[in-house]
Amino acid sequence: EDISYVRKPNIARIIANQHAQSIRRPKYTLRNLLTSRRFHLYKHRFSNAQYDRTLLYPTLPQPRKNVKNEHTEMCRSRCCGHRFVLAADTQFGILMDGFAMENPNWSQEIEISRKAVAKLNSMTGKERPLFVCVCGDLVDTESSFNGALASWKKVMTGWERSLIFEQQVKDFKRVWSRLDSDIALVCLCGNHDVGNRPTKASIERWTSSLGDDYLSFWVNGTFNIALNNCLFSNPSGAPEMFQEQLLWLEKRLIYAQENKATHIFVYTHFPWFLRHENETDEEVVTFSGAPPGWGPEGTSFPDNYFTIPFEERQMAMLLFRKYNVTACFSGHFHQNVVAKSSWGMDMIVTGALSMTLSSGMASELSNGEINGIGMRTVDVGEAGEFTHKWFLLDE
């Protein structure tokens, strides 16, 4: 395969910049640290928020063990409902993954995320979300991606890819920490964050910087479950972690049902399915094309690559049906999907905040939603009721 157009990111420049920053960084006293802007921006974000398998955020107080009669989000106290926003695949680095840049970088993805954060911060009144969930692939360069299609990753060593990954994570955190402090942020891991075959090491690397890879939390009487379903996509690298999460999932669903959650929402990176829960890889024969110029001419991906394999999917579907999950939300497909299971559970896929793809069955899947770079609002009403709307970032 011709990869002559590929240019490696300037590793020496990245190392030099990191070294220069460390030299310029003053030696903080504890007082200076606690009063620094960075401390306050990160105080309730990432690993400081996604902890102990729940969301620790001041504006969304969660029930505590052995503490009774306190006001928490388990109660539906906002009688008019609430809003949250879904984003997906910010994927810092995906554009240089396929476009022939002379100086590969992820500045365009940074700018898209900056616009997204500014858009969220500008929302007011009933339009303002209580939280935002980024459904995985926060960055592009998890170090095991050495054989990625049309990629500079093919000409880099593991330590070089790791260095790029670390810088992309830092840049993601720097941009998304600017989300206003009254809006909580939930970050899911995707296959580009923990690998196509996640391992204990790759997951721990992600969690050390961004927090728990799966968790649950209450918001206004709704129960929200964020999963690492990269493990459902391929559990072979960490089978014990997969089983542990599966057992935890059923316990959380039982807990939500026993405590009369008005809705149960599940958030993941991979869509469980595109059309119906019983579809097989053999049924999904279409492909999703990349934008012109990204990778070799005609680059595309089989649509059945984007969903959870049938066997692992059925494990989840049995639980979701048994415990009456309201809807599942995901990313990964880089375009929109609005589907339902046979028993009425919504499967909603949100397009990317980076690069869009276009499926051969897009018109069937998208429910008329325009393909492009954007996010999705979800307005939650009475028990079991909600509406959602996709909007383009430049609208």
Side-chain angles (χ1 to χ4, degrees), residues 237-295:
E240 292 176 356
M241 297 180 83
F242 169 69
Q243 288 296 332
E244 181 183 339
Q245 182 181 212
L246 191 63
L247 291 172
W248 174 90
L249 172 60
E250 181 161 25
K251 289 178 181 178
R252 291 287 85 191
L253 289 168
I254 292 171
Y255 167 75
Q257 196 172 72
E258 288 177 345
N259 287 280
K260 298 179 172 54
T262 60
H263 309 68
I264 302 176
F265 294 130
V266 174
Y267 308 83
T268 63
H269 178 59
F270 283 81
W272 299 101
F273 57 87
L274 296 179
R275 292 185 297 189
H276 59 85
E277 74 274 12
N278 293 317
E279 67 192 16
T280 62
D281 285 353
E282 291 71 29
E283 289 178 53
V284 182
V285 296
T286 50
F287 287 74
S288 285
W294 192 91

Side-chain angles (χ1 to χ4, degrees), residues 182-361:
D182 63 311
I183 303 173
L185 177 65
V186 179
C187 296
L188 308 188
C189 60
N191 58 309
H192 282 268
D193 302 312
V194 297
N196 279 330
R197 182 178 177 269
T199 63
K200 186 175 187 288
S202 71
I203 293 170
E204 287 180 348
R205 186 180 182 194
W206 192 88
T207 57
S208 67
S209 183
L210 290 150
D212 286 345
D213 57 324
Y214 59 94
L215 63 148
S216 63
F217 56 100
W218 292 91
V219 176
N220 199 31
T222 70
F223 196 64
N224 303 269
I225 299 175
L227 293 177
N228 174 2
N229 81 335
C230 301
L231 283 169
F232 283 81
S233 176
N234 186 347
S236 65
E240 292 176 356
M241 297 180 83
F242 169 69
Q243 288 296 332
E244 181 183 339
Q245 182 181 212
L246 191 63
L247 291 172
W248 174 90
L249 172 60
E250 181 161 25
K251 289 178 181 178
R252 291 287 85 191
L253 289 168
I254 292 171
Y255 167 75
Q257 196 172 72
E258 288 177 345
N259 287 280
K260 298 179 172 54
T262 60
H263 309 68
I264 302 176
F265 294 130
V266 174
Y267 308 83
T268 63
H269 178 59
F270 283 81
W272 299 101
F273 57 87
L274 296 179
R275 292 185 297 189
H276 59 85
E277 74 274 12
N278 293 317
E279 67 192 16
T280 62
D281 285 353
E282 291 71 29
E283 289 178 53
V284 182
V285 296
T286 50
F287 287 74
S288 285
W294 192 91
E297 185 177 356
T299 294
S300 63
F301 305 89
D303 286 344
N304 58 27
Y305 155 77
F306 291 98
T307 56
I308 296 297
F310 184 83
E311 183 178 345
E312 286 76 16
R313 184 196 315 154
Q314 291 308 307
M315 295 180 190
M317 293 300 105
L318 287 171
L319 294 176
F320 295 167
R321 184 169 190 169
K322 180 178 180 179
Y323 297 105
N324 197 28
V325 168
T326 311
C328 293
F329 303 103
S330 75
H332 187 52
F333 197 39
H334 287 250
Q335 54 199 304
N336 297 320
V337 175
V338 179
K340 276 185 183 290
S341 69
S342 58
W343 65 91
M345 181 193 75
D346 291 273
M347 177 69 254
I348 298 167
V349 184
T350 296
L353 278 176
S354 55
M355 185 181 84
T356 58
L357 301 176
S358 182
S359 170
M361 56 177 176

Side-chain angles (χ1 to χ4, degrees), residues 68-107:
K68 297 181 179 179
N69 301 320
E70 65 175 348
H71 173 73
T72 71
E73 290 294 326
M74 186 186 285
C75 301
R76 189 172 187 272
S77 58
R78 301 172 187 87
C79 60
C80 295
H82 68 278
R83 165 175 284 194
F84 62 89
V85 171
L86 298 164
D89 301 277
T90 49
Q91 209 160 338
F92 286 16
I94 188 175
L95 296 180
M96 71 177 184
D97 201 12
F99 288 116
M101 297 181 183
E102 191 62 37
N103 296 299
N105 63 80
W106 46 93
S107 59

Side-chain angles (χ1 to χ4, degrees), residues 2 60 167 207 211 307 384:
D2 178 22
L60 300 174
Q167 187 59 49
T207 57
T307 56

Side-chain angles (χ1 to χ4, degrees), residues 120-235:
L120 293 163
N121 288 343
S122 71
M123 293 177 175
T124 59
K126 293 181 180 179
E127 294 185 350
R128 194 164 179 84
L130 295 181
F131 70 94
V132 178
C133 181
V134 184
C135 294
D137 278 3
L138 313 185
V139 301
D140 184 66
T141 314
E142 195 279 328
S143 62
S144 68
F145 276 83
N146 63 331
L149 180 66
S151 174
W152 51 267
K153 300 175 187 119
K154 293 180 178 179
V155 294
M156 297 189 80
T157 60
W159 76 266
E160 290 176 313
R161 292 191 299 272
S162 294
L163 184 68
I164 296 292
F165 174 81
E166 289 168 8
Q167 187 59 49
Q168 289 171 348
V169 170
K170 288 178 182 177
D171 288 341
F172 173 87
K173 292 171 73 172
R174 178 169 52 85
V175 174
W176 282 87
S177 68
R178 299 288 176 155
L179 193 65
D180 282 350
S181 60
D182 63 311
I183 303 173
L185 177 65
V186 179
C187 296
L188 308 188
C189 60
N191 58 309
H192 282 268
D193 302 312
V194 297
N196 279 330
R197 182 178 177 269
T199 63
K200 186 175 187 288
S202 71
I203 293 170
E204 287 180 348
R205 186 180 182 194
W206 192 88
T207 57
S208 67
S209 183
L210 290 150
D212 286 345
D213 57 324
Y214 59 94
L215 63 148
S216 63
F217 56 100
W218 292 91
V219 176
N220 199 31
T222 70
F223 196 64
N224 303 269
I225 299 175
L227 293 177
N228 174 2
N229 81 335
C230 301
L231 283 169
F232 283 81
S233 176
N234 186 347

